[in-house]
Amino acid sequence: MIARDNDMAASGMSEIGIVLYPGAQMAAVHGLTDLFGVAARIALDRRSGRLPLRVTHWQPAHSRDAELYCVHDSEPGGKQRPGILIIPPTMVNLPDPDIPAGVVSWLRDKHAAGATLVSVCSGTFILAKTGLADGRAVATHQICREALAARFPQIVVDTNLRIIDHGDIVTAGGFLAWVDVGLFLVGRILGPAVKAETARFVLSDPASSDARHFVGFPPPQSHRDKAVLKAQAWVHMRDGRGVSLAAMAAMAGLERRTFLRRFANATGMTPLEYCRRVRIARARELLISGDTPQKMIAESLGYSDVASFARVFRKATGAAPGAYRKRFGIPAGEFVPKSSSLQTRRKLPLPEPGLAAE
């Protein structure tokens, strides 16, 4: 990893490329682009000179075998040479098994030339197709685990870790993993101080009147209670579904009463409220970036029916699910789902009493 990073830094600017493969989640693409832009400005304010970070987007040509070409450059001028390539997630569907050969061969060539490949959640399917992850452990979202392991038995799927860094290959999974990846890369390229300031900027509550409509739920993680952090990570891996107070306490390794006290002190919320906010954030993502029926979203998140889901969603956001999708959904054409992965996803058990989905 040191050699790769030094190669990138030789020109005085690090370039991060984002791969726009068919079905890629555009919300993650734009979010990462903005996050890196914020980090670059923060770093520039700390020292004079040029922006230290360049972000490019790479898209396949019409021919399935053709190489990718650059469709966006935050710092136009000069040859694009991304030292890091991010493979973003999809939103609802898993990536099409028939991945364009040009995408696969291009990623292999860039990796051979020294680029670090970074996959986020379901983007790991694209990475696995290159064969570069064979024999390695990879992170992904829990809902991708079974399909990924079945399609690529030569890799080791690990959903217990949010980020697995092999140096030349980095994989990430979990709730809003693209934020984790973005901050991870900012810290590695621009240092811990810029990472911390970027995190404060990106994860702070928006000051606009639409603050409660934003998809992101910045989980309180600045506390140092490792037991509570472990329980939080477990909840996020499951999108707040099928959890119970007893299971959360067991995951934290604490007695129930002790866990309740420490969780409230660390997060400012009860476990019930925390899980509800995680589920609502996931529901927002599904409503924004696809056409998954509300009934399917409700069932996947553990709600007994659409009416219960709609009541909780309206209370949390101030808008009915349908109205929220109409207002904030990605325009038609940017994301066209073929069939919802929720239809084939293994159903998790409904929450036990005490953490029921209201």
Side-chain angles (χ1 to χ4, degrees):
M1 176 55 64
I2 295 176
R4 290 172 182 264
D5 285 351
N6 284 345
D7 288 342
M8 286 191 300
S11 64
M13 175 184 289
S14 296
E15 179 181 341
I16 298 176
I18 304 177
V19 182
L20 307 185
Y21 65 90
Q25 180 191 346
M26 297 309 297
V29 173
H30 297 317
L32 281 166
T33 303
D34 289 344
L35 186 151
F36 293 136
V38 169
R41 290 293 174 183
I42 290 173
L44 182 62
D45 289 343
R46 287 172 169 266
R47 55 181 182 268
S48 59
R50 61 187 302 196
L51 282 174
L53 204 56
R54 180 183 195 179
V55 180
T56 52
H57 296 174
W58 299 82
Q59 180 173 300
H62 294 297
S63 170
R64 291 182 52 81
D65 297 327
E67 289 193 349
L68 279 65
Y69 64 99
C70 184
V71 294
H72 168 78
D73 192 339
S74 64
E75 293 293 311
K79 185 177 181 180
Q80 293 104 359
R81 298 184 60 181
I84 295 175
L85 285 168
I86 299 177
I87 308 170
T90 52
M91 185 62 252
V92 176
N93 307 303
L94 299 180
D96 192 327
D98 189 20
I99 301 166
V103 174
V104 176
S105 61
W106 187 81
L107 287 170
R108 285 180 183 147
D109 291 345
K110 293 298 183 184
H111 177 267
T116 297
L117 303 186
V118 181
S119 68
V120 183
C121 291
S122 54
T124 308
F125 283 82
I126 310 295
L127 173 65
K129 187 71 172 181
T130 68
L132 297 171
D134 289 1
R136 308 198 201 195
V138 299
T140 190
H141 195 286
Q142 183 169 331
I143 65 173
C144 303
R145 178 179 58 192
E146 293 180 1
L148 183 63
R151 194 182 299 180
F152 302 100
Q154 62 273 34
I155 65 176
V156 180
V157 182
D158 186 345
T159 56
N160 294 316
L161 297 175
R162 295 184 69 82
I163 293 179
I164 298 178
D165 181 6
H166 291 291
D168 61 324
I169 289 178
V170 179
T171 56
F175 184 74
L176 289 179
W178 64 263
V179 178
D180 295 336
V181 163
L183 293 174
F184 171 81
L185 294 175
V186 167
R188 201 177 74 188
I189 298 170
L190 302 177
V194 174
K195 174 185 176 181
E197 192 168 343
T198 302
R200 284 193 294 270
F201 183 93
V202 172
L203 299 179
S204 61
D205 291 331
S208 69
S209 59
D210 280 336
R212 59 181 178 169
H213 291 292
F214 278 49
V215 174
F217 161 45
Q221 294 179 315
S222 58
H223 61 84
R224 298 183 179 181
D225 193 324
K226 293 182 179 180
V228 172
L229 285 170
K230 188 174 181 180
Q232 287 179 261
W234 183 73
V235 169
H236 283 275
M237 285 291 187
R238 301 171 66 88
D239 288 338
R241 308 182 316 268
V243 299
S244 68
L245 179 57
M248 290 179 70
M251 183 59 59
L254 299 172
E255 186 273 335
R256 177 170 171 162
R257 183 175 298 179
T258 302
F259 172 72
L260 279 170
R261 173 177 54 79
R262 285 174 57 172
F263 191 93
N265 289 339
T267 68
M269 288 173 269
T270 66
L272 170 62
E273 173 61 18
Y274 192 89
C275 291
R276 181 163 52 234
R277 292 186 66 176
V278 169
R279 285 195 300 272
I280 290 299
R282 175 59 173 159
R284 287 170 168 172
E285 287 190 330
L286 291 170
L287 289 167
I288 286 174
S289 301
D291 62 357
T292 304
Q294 291 183 38
K295 181 179 179 181
M296 196 174 295
I297 294 175
E299 290 177 349
S300 73
L301 295 177
Y303 293 95
S304 58
D305 51 49
V306 174
S308 298
F309 164 63
R311 183 179 68 251
V312 176
F313 190 88
R314 182 190 290 274
K315 182 178 180 181
T317 69
Y324 185 90
R325 169 175 276 163
K326 184 176 181 180
R327 181 175 183 185
F328 297 103
I330 293 176
E334 287 194 39
F335 177 82
V336 184
K338 299 175 183 177
S339 62
S340 175
S341 62
L342 295 178
Q343 293 175 324
T344 57
R345 184 166 73 191
R346 176 177 62 85
K347 289 187 177 181
L348 294 169
L350 291 177
E352 298 176 9
L355 283 181
E358 297 182 359

